[in-house]
C-alpha cells in the first residue's frame, strides 16, 4: 500500500510538472505571437509639425496650401501628418506614395469629406465630386462618362460648342486693339458654351440670355463659397453655430441655383411638349438637360437617378467645363506671353494644320502636337487644383509604412510632384518640348504615370477630361490662330497666384488682340 501511494505521488508530481511546462510554453508562444503582431501590424503615424493645442497647425497654413505643404515636406519627408482643428490631415508628395493611394488602395481612399458648403449648396452633396464611394456614386459616374460625355453625345453637341467659340472670336474682332481681360474672355466663352450644351437645344432668345446670366453669376458665387475656409469644417462641435455664416450663405445660394434649374427644367419640358404637338420632331437637338431628364425618368435601375442627382450632374458639367478650364486657358496664355518664341511656334503649327483661311475645328486638334505640349506643360507648372480634392479613407490603412487612420483628410500635393527636380529636368522652366521628346513625350492626362497627375488618378480622376480637353484646346487654338497678342504698353507680366479652391492668377492677364488672318468671313 505504501509503495502504491509513493507511485501515485510520483506520477502526480510528474503530471504537475508536465502541466507547468506546457503552460509556460503556451504563455511564451502567446507572448511571442502578440509581440510579433504588434511589431508588424501596428504602424506608427507619420511624422509632422506639432502645431498648437486644440487648433493644431491651422494658424500656420498661410494663403497657399501647396506652398506651405511643399516646405513642410522638405522638413518632414514625402508623407507627414498635421492636426487641422479636430481633424487629422496627411500630406503626400511623392509619386510612389501617391500610387499607393490612388492605385494599390484606391477603394479605401476613394471617399470624400465634403465641406458643409458643398453639402448644403449642391443638393446634399449629390454630385460626382462629393458623393461617397458606393453604388450611387458608381452609377452617377457611369452615367456621366458613358452617357453625357460619350463620343456620340459630345459629337451631337459639337455645333453648339463651335457656335459659341466663333461668337467669341467675332466679339474680340470688334474690340481689336483694345485691352481685354483674357481670363474673363475665356470664362464667359466657356460658361456660355456649357449652358448652350446644357439647355441651348430648347431655350432660345431673351429667356436663354436671362437664365444664362443668372446661372453664370450663381456658379461664380458657388466657387467662391466652396473655396472659403470654414471653422465649422475643422471643429464639428462648432458647426451648429455657423460662426462665419458660411452655411447660411451656401444654403441661400443652393436655393437660388435650384430655382434657376427648376425654371429651366419647366421651360425645357414645355418646349419639348410644343415640339411634339406641332409634329416637328426633335429639331432643336438633344442637349445635356434632355439626356439627364430621360435618365431621371428611366425605369432602368442601372441608369435611373434621383432629381437631386440629376441636378448635381448639371452642376458637375458646368463646374468641370468652366472655372477650372478657363483658369487653365489663362495660365497657358500667360506662359505663352512670357515666351514669344512659343507663340510663334504655335501659330506656325496652326497655319500648317488649319490653314490661314479657315476656322479651327475640333478635328484639327489631334494634329496640333506642339499646342498639346504647351497645354500639358502649363498643366504641369500650374495645376488648377494643386492639392486635387482631398481623399478620405473609409478604414485605417498603411501607406509608406505609416498608419493613416479612418477619416483622415489625405492631400496629394501634385504641385510639389510636378516641380520635383529629381523627377523633372529644370522643373521651373516652361519648356513644352519636354512633352515632345524623350520619356515624357508619352505622358498624358490619364493618371497612369504618377509623376504627372494634373487631373488626378484612380476612381476619383476627373470625370470630365474628354470635354475639358476639347474645349481648352479648341478655344486656345482659335484665339491664337485668329489673333496676335501683346501686352499693353508699360505692362509687366507676372505669374503670382491667388488663393482659392481653384488657383488662379493673382493679377488678371490683360492683353491686346490684333487680327492676324484676313478672311472676310471673320
Amino acid at each position: 500500500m505504501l509503495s502504491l501511494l509513493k507511485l501515485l505521488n510520483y506520477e502526480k508530481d510528474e503530471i504537475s510538472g508536465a502541466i507547468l511546462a506546457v503552460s509556460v510554453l503556451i504563455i511564451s508562444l502567446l507572448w511571442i505571437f502578440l509581440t510579433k503582431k504588434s511589431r508588424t501590424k501596428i504602424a506608427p503615424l507619420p511624422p509632422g509639425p506639432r502645431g498648437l493645442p486644440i487648433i493644431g497647425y491651422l494658424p500656420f497654413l498661410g494663403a497657399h496650401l501647396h506652398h506651405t505643404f511643399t516646405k513642410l515636406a522638405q522638413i518632414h519627408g514625402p508623407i507627414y501628418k498635421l492636426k487641422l482643428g479636430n481633424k487629422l490631415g496627411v500630406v503626400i508628395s511623392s509619386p510612389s506614395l501617391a500610387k499607393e493611394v490612388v492605385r494599390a488602395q484606391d477603394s479605401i481612399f476613394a471617399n470624400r469629406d465634403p465641406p458643409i458648403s458643398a453639402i448644403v449648396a449642391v443638393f446634399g452633396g449629390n454630385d460626382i465630386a462629393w458623393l461617397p464611394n458606393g453604388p450611387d456614386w458608381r452609377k452617377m459616374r457611369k452615367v456621366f462618362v458613358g452617357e453625357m460625355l460619350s463620343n456620340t453625345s459630345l459629337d451631337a453637341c459639337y455645333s453648339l460648342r463651335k457656335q459659341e467659340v466663333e461668337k467669341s472670336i467675332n466679339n474680340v474682332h470688334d474690340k481689336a486693339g483694345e485691352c481685354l481681360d483674357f481670363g474673363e474672355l475665356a470664362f464667359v466663352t466657356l460658361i456660355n458654351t456649357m449652358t448652350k450644351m446644357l439647355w441651348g437645344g430648347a431655350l432660345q432668345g431673351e429667356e436663354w440670355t436671362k437664365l444664362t446670366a443668372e446661372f453664370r453669376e450663381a456658379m461664380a458665387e458657388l466657387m467662391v463659397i466652396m473655396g472659403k475656409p470654414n471653422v465649422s469644417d475643422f471643429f464639428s462641435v462648432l458647426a451648429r453655430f455657423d460662426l462665419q455664416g458660411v452655411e447660411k450663405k451656401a444654403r441661400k445660394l443652393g436655393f437660388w441655383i435650384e430655382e434657376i434649374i427648376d425654371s429651366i427644367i419647366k421651360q425645357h419640358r414645355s418646349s419639348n411638349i410644343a415640339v411634339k404637338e406641332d409634329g416637328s420632331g426633335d429639331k432643336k437637338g438633344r442637349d445635356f438637360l434632355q439626356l439627364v431628364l430621360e435618365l431621371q425618368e428611366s425605369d432602368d435601375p442601372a441608369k435611373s437617378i434621383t432629381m437631386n442627382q440629376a441636378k448635381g450632374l448639371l452642376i458637375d458639367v458646368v463646374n468641370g467645363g468652366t472655372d477650372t478650364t478657363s483658369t487653365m486657358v489663362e495660365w497657358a496664355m500667360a506662359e505663352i506671353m512670357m515666351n514669344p518664341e512659343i507663340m510663334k511656334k504655335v501659330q506656325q503649327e496652326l497655319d500648317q494644320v488649319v490653314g490661314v483661311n479657315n476656322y479651327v475645328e475640333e478635328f484639327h486638334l489631334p494634329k496640333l502636337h506642339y499646342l498639346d505640349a504647351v497645354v500639358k506643360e502649363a498643366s504641369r507648372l500650374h495645376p488648377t487644383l494643386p492639392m486635387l480634392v482631398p481623399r478620405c479613407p473609409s478604414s485605417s490603412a498603411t501607406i509608406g509604412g505609416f498608419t493613416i487612420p479612418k477619416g483622415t483628410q489625405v492631400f496629394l500635393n501634385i504641385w510639389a510632384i510636378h516641380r520635383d527636380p529629381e523627377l523633372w529636368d529644370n522643373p521651373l522652366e516652361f519648356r513644352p518640348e519636354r512633352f515632345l521628346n524623350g520619356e515624357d513625350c508619352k505622358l498624358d492626362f490619364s493618371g497612369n504615370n504618377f509623376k504627372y497627375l494634373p487631373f488626378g488618378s484612380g476612381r476619383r480622376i476627373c470625370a470630365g477630361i474628354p470635354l475639358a480637353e476639347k474645349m481648352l484646346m479648341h478655344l486656345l487654338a482659335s484665339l491664337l490662330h485668329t489673333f496676335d497678342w501683346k501686352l499693353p504698353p508699360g505692362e509687366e507680366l507676372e505669374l503670382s497666384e491667388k488663393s482659392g479652391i481653384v488657383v488662379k492668377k493673382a493679377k488678371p492677364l490683360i492683353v491686346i488682340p490684333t487680327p492676324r488672318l484676313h478672311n472676310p468671313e471673320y
Side-chain angles (χ1 to χ4, degrees), residues 73 101 152 158 186 331 352 396 520:
V101 171
T152 301
Y158 168 55
W331 278 119
Q352 293 172 0
S396 293

Side-chain angles (χ1 to χ4, degrees), residues 177-477:
E178 301 178 15
C179 293
L180 297 178
D181 184 331
F182 194 85
E184 179 67 15
L185 166 66
F187 179 80
V188 171
T189 303
L190 289 168
I191 198 165
N192 284 343
T193 303
M194 292 311 308
T195 51
K196 196 79 172 180
M197 291 171 64
L198 285 178
W199 55 74
L203 306 184
Q204 304 292 333
E206 291 184 5
E207 65 176 2
W208 183 86
T209 303
K210 179 178 179 294
L211 287 170
T212 296
E214 283 193 45
F215 196 64
R216 180 168 63 229
E217 184 180 352
M219 294 309 300
E221 287 195 28
L222 178 63
M223 294 307 295
V224 170
I225 197 72
M226 288 205 303
K228 185 176 182 179
N230 184 9
V231 67
S232 297
D233 291 322
F234 300 108
F235 299 95
S236 55
V237 70
L238 299 177
R240 70 181 72 181
F241 303 109
D242 190 23
L243 298 176
Q244 297 166 262
V246 171
E247 182 176 353
K248 181 180 179 181
K249 294 176 184 176
R251 197 175 299 281
K252 183 178 180 180
L253 179 61
F255 286 143
W256 184 27
I257 292 173
E258 188 164 24
E259 284 180 0
I260 297 171
I261 293 178
D262 286 342
S263 176
I264 291 166
I265 290 173
K266 182 179 179 180
Q267 294 188 48
H268 189 281
R269 283 173 169 161
S270 298
S271 175
N272 282 348
I273 291 173
V275 168
K276 291 179 181 178
E277 286 180 350
D278 68 15
S280 62
D282 191 13
K283 291 183 179 179
K284 296 184 179 180
R286 189 167 180 261
D287 50 44
F288 280 177
L289 181 56
Q290 183 175 338
L291 176 58
V292 167
L293 292 177
E294 289 174 1
L295 294 170
Q296 191 270 322
E297 297 166 356
S298 173
D299 294 327
D300 184 356
K303 294 183 177 181
S304 63
I305 56 178
T306 68
M307 181 54 78
N308 275 348
Q309 289 171 346
K311 294 174 182 177
L313 282 176
L314 296 178
I315 297 297
D316 284 331
V317 172
V318 176
N319 277 340
T322 54
D323 204 45
T324 53
T325 307
S326 63
T327 299
M328 195 67 257
V329 171
E330 185 176 20
W331 278 119
M333 189 63 179
E335 288 287 4
I336 290 172
M337 296 295 294
M338 291 280 284
N339 300 274
E341 72 282 357
I342 291 179
M343 183 183 294
K344 290 181 181 178
K345 290 182 180 179
V346 170
Q347 290 177 331
Q348 287 172 359
E349 181 181 61
L350 286 163
D351 291 346
Q352 293 172 0
V353 173
V354 179
V356 295
N357 294 315
N358 299 317
Y359 273 125
V360 176
E361 303 269 7
E362 283 190 358
F363 66 79
H364 291 129
L365 302 184
K367 301 176 184 178
L368 300 175
H369 303 298
Y370 190 75
L371 180 61
D372 178 64
V374 169
V375 170
K376 286 178 178 175
E377 179 72 338
S379 301
R380 180 188 70 84
L381 274 176
H382 308 284
T384 53
L385 292 170
M387 310 297 298
L388 301 176
V389 180
R391 293 177 176 240
C392 185
S394 54
S395 63
S396 293
T398 302
I399 298 292
F402 297 104
T403 293
I404 311 297
K406 176 182 177 180
T408 300
Q409 281 196 322
V410 178
F411 301 88
L412 299 180
N413 190 353
I414 62 167
W415 188 86
I417 294 174
H418 287 183
R419 292 168 176 247
D420 188 340
E422 294 186 4
L423 302 172
W424 302 90
D425 180 38
N426 295 320
L428 301 184
E429 178 186 354
F430 188 83
R431 183 156 50 86
E433 286 76 12
R434 73 174 81 242
F435 289 95
L436 295 173
N437 306 303
E439 294 182 0
D440 294 339
C441 70
K442 298 178 181 179
L443 294 175
D444 55 27
F445 297 136
S446 64
N448 291 321
N449 189 312
F450 302 98
K451 79 171 191 176
Y452 186 66
L453 302 172
F455 288 93
S457 182
R459 284 173 172 83
R460 288 290 186 171
I461 191 173
C462 174
I465 293 176
L467 178 59
E469 193 172 5
K470 282 179 182 291
M471 294 177 65
L472 194 164
M473 286 282 289
H474 190 191
L475 178 58
L476 193 58

